[in-house]
Amino acid sequence: MEYIVVQAGGKGTRLQYLTENKPKALVPIDNLPMLFHLFRKYPDKRFVIIADYKKAVMREYLDVFADVKYNIVDALGTGTCSGIKQAIDLIPDKEPFMLVWSDLILPTDLMLPEGYEDNTGDPSKDYVGLSQTFPCRWKYENGQFSEERSVECGVAGFFLFTDKAKIEDVPESGELVRWMQSKGKNYETVGLAGTREFGLLEEYEKLETAKCRPFNRITIDGDILIKESVDTQGEKLAKRECAWYEKAKDLGIGILPKIYTTDPLKMEYIQGRNIYECDLGYEQKLYILKSLVSSLDKLHEAEKVPADSFSVKEAYFNKTFDRLAKIQDLIPFGRDHYITVNGRKCRNVYYHKRELERALDKLVLTCKEFSFIHGDCTFSNMMVRESGEPVLIDPRGYFGYSELYGDVRYDWAKIYYSIAGNYDQFNLGRFRLHIGEDPETGVKLEIESNHWETLADEFIKMTGSNEQEIKLLHAVIWLSLTTYAWQDYDSICGAFYNGLYYLEDFVDDYLF
């Protein structure tokens, strides 16, 4: 079997705010859009994706991020039948195929019946998938469809056909299972035990919020945390992270977890919480900030090397615009000169690229030496032990083209990103993005608070940093987050709009 048809139509209204800006197939589950779980399970197949609601978003998103062979059809009609006839027109005659709903996450160990699994011959039977572990509105039992709620025999939105001729007379609109019932044909069944369905917001909200990117996998074994990469991007980052921990150990840097092995990375599982999760008073927060700044000062002083101007330019400007270049057509109003964000009329950075470059070039010229830096010291990468002491985790391990060493202002800007920007709540999906009809109406972005904003000015004073420089980098970091947070369309857009919002803090004679 080479072809998979994905029914990705429908408004996904039962997912409420999750589908306000995007189709349900792009709602992230376990740090990956639902549709991309199919892509990862069947990376060598050819996908025909049926789209209607927010179909422009679907097209632009897949154009940037999909790495499989795919085609998209704009569904005609309504209901679960819509678009199927158009989709099977793209499949050659006498070719077996799968038809599956986009809100199903199939188990990784699912084996297809004989003939559909690779290298098992040609299939001779058609199949209906039975849910077995979650309820469905339709039931298939003893060769009969019935509109009856069932778990064990629930019709799960998963079908295997030997040939498109089997459903060539499917109507343009209507309910597919009801139509199949009317045809009176018999099907074999395949069990889908372990499959997860996410058609309802309640099911989505039961998920544990992922705290790692889709290129990592984290498991806990007693007092040991094991961090492994799941793709080539993850492998590259893992090597850098391990090299950083080894260097930090050689330099005798404190406030780090114990590292047991680096291949794979096994470290102490910190008994404590992320800083942003702690319910702390002002004085406690001030103590932690002073401790962090003091510890980072020691880290920065541990070893220095001459600055590399090319790395500064790469980290601040080139990387940011390389990422932005991919998504201008994906972001609503990305081609407009002005976008209103939270009531503020913001200039679109795509049309002020050179002005921003000149501002960032000032940072290139004023960076005379590199220090050993963490590179990603947001609150998400800081733990507080039960004793109250902070611990740094998840170092980036590089800065621009430089390994291990970089501009200390980047570390300070990353902490500011958590204090003033509430990045950590945003990273956990604790935000709402409302996109208007036009750039004048613009967007409203509401991010839950880390409740550290009142310490923003105090933090700048502690570090001795130039406030304008840190705030400029803060805005740039939001812009750079766009495609790094690729797994969620709303995060891509929200990061972009937030970057524009913070850039407007700079008066005309400083930036624009």
Side-chain angles (χ1 to χ4, degrees), residues 244-501:
W244 190 93
Y245 278 126
E246 289 171 349
K247 182 68 174 180
K249 183 179 180 180
D250 291 343
L251 293 174
I253 303 299
I255 69 165
L256 301 176
K258 296 176 183 176
I259 305 298
Y260 303 116
T261 68
T262 55
D263 187 20
L265 180 58
K266 293 184 178 182
M267 66 175 71
E268 170 194 5
Y269 177 55
I270 304 297
Q271 300 298 323
R273 293 179 292 172
N274 284 106
I275 290 179
Y276 62 84
E277 296 175 319
C278 299
D279 184 14
L280 304 170
Y282 182 85
E283 293 300 324
Q284 291 173 297
K285 292 176 183 177
L286 198 60
Y287 167 78
I288 287 175
L289 268 191
K290 288 179 179 178
S291 179
L292 282 171
V293 170
S294 174
S295 296
L296 282 169
D297 277 338
K298 291 177 183 177
L299 184 146
H300 295 157
E301 292 296 323
E303 194 162 283
K304 296 179 181 290
V305 298
D308 173 19
S309 62
F310 287 83
S311 287
V312 182
K313 182 78 174 230
E314 171 67 15
Y316 293 155
F317 178 77
N318 296 342
K319 178 184 71 175
T320 302
F321 271 92
D322 283 348
R323 291 178 176 180
L324 289 176
K326 298 176 182 178
I327 58 169
Q328 187 171 12
D329 292 322
L330 176 60
I331 295 171
F333 321 128
R335 295 282 175 182
D336 291 286
H337 285 263
Y338 293 90
I339 306 169
T340 300
V341 181
N342 288 349
R344 173 186 282 182
K345 188 176 181 179
C346 298
R347 281 158 280 207
N348 189 340
V349 71
Y350 287 110
Y351 298 100
H352 297 278
K353 179 176 179 179
R354 295 309 167 200
E355 292 97 318
L356 180 57
E357 182 180 23
R358 285 193 291 272
L360 292 173
D361 279 347
K362 295 176 185 177
L363 301 187
V364 176
L365 293 173
T366 54
C367 185
K368 301 301 182 183
E369 62 182 6
F370 277 2
S371 297
F372 185 58
I373 64 171
H374 181 279
D376 198 19
C377 45
T378 63
F379 284 176
S380 296
N381 294 333
M382 297 179 189
M383 302 289 290
V384 178
R385 295 185 187 275
E386 291 176 345
S387 62
E389 296 303 311
V391 183
L392 281 173
I393 59 173
D394 293 346
R396 175 155 291 168
Y398 72 99
F399 177 81
Y401 305 117
S402 172
E403 303 293 321
L404 304 176
Y405 304 93
D407 184 0
V408 297
R409 292 172 295 191
Y410 194 59
D411 270 356
W412 301 137
K414 279 297 183 92
I415 298 177
Y416 189 82
Y417 186 39
S418 286
I419 294 173
N422 296 306
Y423 157 75
D424 312 279
Q425 301 298 331
F426 182 90
N427 186 44
L428 293 171
R430 295 170 184 166
F431 69 93
R432 297 290 180 270
L433 176 63
H434 309 278
I435 300 175
E437 294 297 321
D438 54 60
E440 287 298 321
T441 307
V443 302
K444 185 176 182 181
L445 177 63
E446 302 168 288
I447 306 175
E448 288 189 25
S449 177
N450 280 332
H451 303 294
W452 284 70
E453 296 96 326
T454 55
L455 285 92
D457 292 341
E458 189 67 34
F459 170 72
I460 294 290
K461 292 177 185 176
M462 284 183 197
T463 64
S465 301
N466 179 300
E467 182 178 13
Q468 288 288 76
E469 290 178 345
I470 298 304
K471 287 185 174 181
L472 175 59
L473 288 178
H474 177 221
V476 168
I477 289 169
W478 276 108
L479 293 174
S480 187
L481 177 63
T482 48
T483 54
Y484 194 71
W486 72 268
Q487 72 274 13
D488 180 29
Y489 173 76
D490 286 3
S491 293
I492 294 170
C493 297
F496 176 76
Y497 297 133
N498 224 21
L500 298 191
Y501 184 87

Side-chain angles (χ1 to χ4, degrees), residues 34-277:
M34 285 194 276
L35 179 57
F36 281 62
H37 284 274
L38 276 172
F39 291 170
R40 280 204 173 171
K41 184 168 178 57
Y42 301 110
D44 299 322
K45 305 301 182 187
R46 295 171 182 252
F47 291 85
V48 183
I49 299 158
I50 300 169
D52 56 8
Y53 174 71
K54 301 290 182 182
K55 59 189 177 184
V57 172
M58 176 73 82
R59 286 184 178 278
E60 296 297 341
Y61 188 91
L62 295 186
D63 186 47
V64 177
F65 298 112
D67 58 358
V68 296
K69 300 181 184 74
Y70 74 91
N71 219 322
I72 297 176
V73 297
D74 295 340
L76 299 175
T78 59
T80 51
C81 286
S82 65
I84 292 178
K85 184 178 284 293
Q86 298 159 262
I88 62 176
D89 281 345
L90 299 179
I91 299 176
D93 293 338
K94 299 181 181 179
E95 283 283 344
F97 66 96
M98 177 194 300
L99 171 60
V100 60
W101 286 191
S102 66
D103 56 4
L104 295 181
I105 308 298
L106 302 175
T108 55
D109 59 354
L110 175 67
M111 294 292 292
L112 300 179
E114 183 178 356
Y116 291 96
E117 198 68 49
D118 291 344
N119 304 315
T120 57
D122 297 323
S124 58
K125 299 174 181 177
D126 302 322
Y127 288 83
V128 171
L130 301 185
S131 60
Q132 297 183 322
T133 50
F134 61 90
C136 298
R137 188 166 62 86
W138 282 86
K139 176 181 182 180
Y140 186 76
E141 188 175 29
N142 299 323
Q144 299 290 325
F145 289 104
S146 59
E147 194 171 357
E148 180 181 348
R149 184 179 174 87
S150 177
V151 172
E152 185 176 346
C153 298
V155 179
F158 176 97
F159 310 92
L160 297 169
F161 297 102
T162 59
D163 183 358
K164 68 181 185 181
K166 299 294 183 68
I167 57 170
E168 63 185 356
D169 56 341
V170 63
E172 192 173 273
S173 296
E175 192 172 359
L176 179 66
V177 178
R178 192 179 302 281
W179 172 77
M180 293 173 71
Q181 179 192 46
S182 72
K183 303 301 288 185
K185 295 181 180 178
N186 288 321
Y187 296 90
E188 297 295 317
T189 60
V190 55
L192 301 178
T195 295
R196 295 179 293 163
E197 181 190 36
F198 292 95
L200 296 172
L201 182 64
E202 304 91 88
E203 294 302 318
Y204 181 86
E205 292 183 335
K206 290 176 184 176
L207 289 170
E208 182 178 347
T209 304
K211 292 187 178 181
C212 62
R213 294 294 178 193
F215 43 74
N216 289 327
R217 177 175 57 247
I218 289 176
T219 53
I220 308 298
D221 183 9
D223 295 330
I224 298 175
L225 182 146
I226 305 166
K227 188 174 181 180
E228 300 171 283
S229 55
V230 298
D231 58 21
T232 53
Q233 182 184 11
E235 289 172 4
K236 187 175 182 180
L237 293 173
K239 288 180 181 178
R240 284 170 157 166
E241 182 178 358
C242 291
W244 190 93
Y245 278 126
E246 289 171 349
K247 182 68 174 180
K249 183 179 180 180
D250 291 343
L251 293 174
I253 303 299
I255 69 165
L256 301 176
K258 296 176 183 176
I259 305 298
Y260 303 116
T261 68
T262 55
D263 187 20
L265 180 58
K266 293 184 178 182
M267 66 175 71
E268 170 194 5
Y269 177 55
I270 304 297
Q271 300 298 323
R273 293 179 292 172
N274 284 106
I275 290 179
Y276 62 84
E277 296 175 319

